[in-house]
Amino acid sequence: CYPEWADKYAQCPNRSENLSWVNEINILLLIIYSIESIVRAYVERNRFCCNPWNVTDLMIVILGWASIALSTLNLSLLRLSRLVRVLRAARVFISVPEFYLLVSGLFSSFKAIV
């Protein structure tokens, strides 16, 4: 929507809120992540909360469902779905060892520059 609709963003026809397939894919991914968290909690049982990535995944799933529940109430105050999408993407990058090396090397290079 930028730069054509910068002054009247609410009227932009290509906003993510106006595209139904974005919401459908978001719900599908949320269901998949929910099933993954439930299975992981069942398999690891008492050790589930000891792993910080499990807790992070669980919080992402909870925030995702909260954002869907609050969006049906038409509360535009909370934009949790965007944060949840970013956290999911970050989790994917960190869970794959090659991506983790790439991201950690990138951050290390930023530290050297600054």
Side-chain angles (χ1 to χ4, degrees):
C1 291
Y2 188 79
E4 296 87 21
W5 297 90
D7 295 334
K8 29 190 179 168
Y9 180 74
Q11 299 170 355
C12 177
N14 297 326
R15 289 186 347 190
S16 62
E17 292 89 8
N18 296 337
L19 301 174
S20 64
W21 64 271
V22 173
N23 292 328
E24 293 168 3
I25 290 177
N26 189 28
I27 291 173
L28 177 69
L29 289 173
L30 191 57
I31 290 170
I32 291 170
Y33 283 128
S34 298
I35 292 170
E36 177 191 4
S37 291
I38 290 168
V39 169
R40 221 181 250 186
Y42 177 75
V43 170
E44 295 183 7
R45 297 187 191 184
N46 294 336
R47 294 179 294 140
F48 179 79
C49 293
C50 296
N51 187 348
W53 289 114
N54 290 342
V55 175
T56 303
D57 290 342
L58 185 62
M59 290 306 298
I60 290 170
V61 168
I62 290 171
L63 287 174
W65 285 116
S67 69
I68 289 175
L70 293 175
S71 69
T72 58
L73 297 174
N74 208 6
L75 294 175
S76 60
L77 178 66
L78 300 174
R79 299 281 185 190
L80 294 176
S81 61
R82 291 183 182 158
L83 174 65
V84 170
R85 289 180 196 144
V86 169
L87 289 175
R88 281 188 204 146
R91 181 193 175 276
V92 169
F93 277 117
I94 293 173
S95 66
V96 177
E98 290 81 10
F99 285 143
Y100 179 74
L101 288 173
L102 181 71
V103 170
S104 64
L106 184 66
F107 283 130
S108 296
S109 66
F110 283 142
K111 288 179 186 176
I113 292 172
V114 174

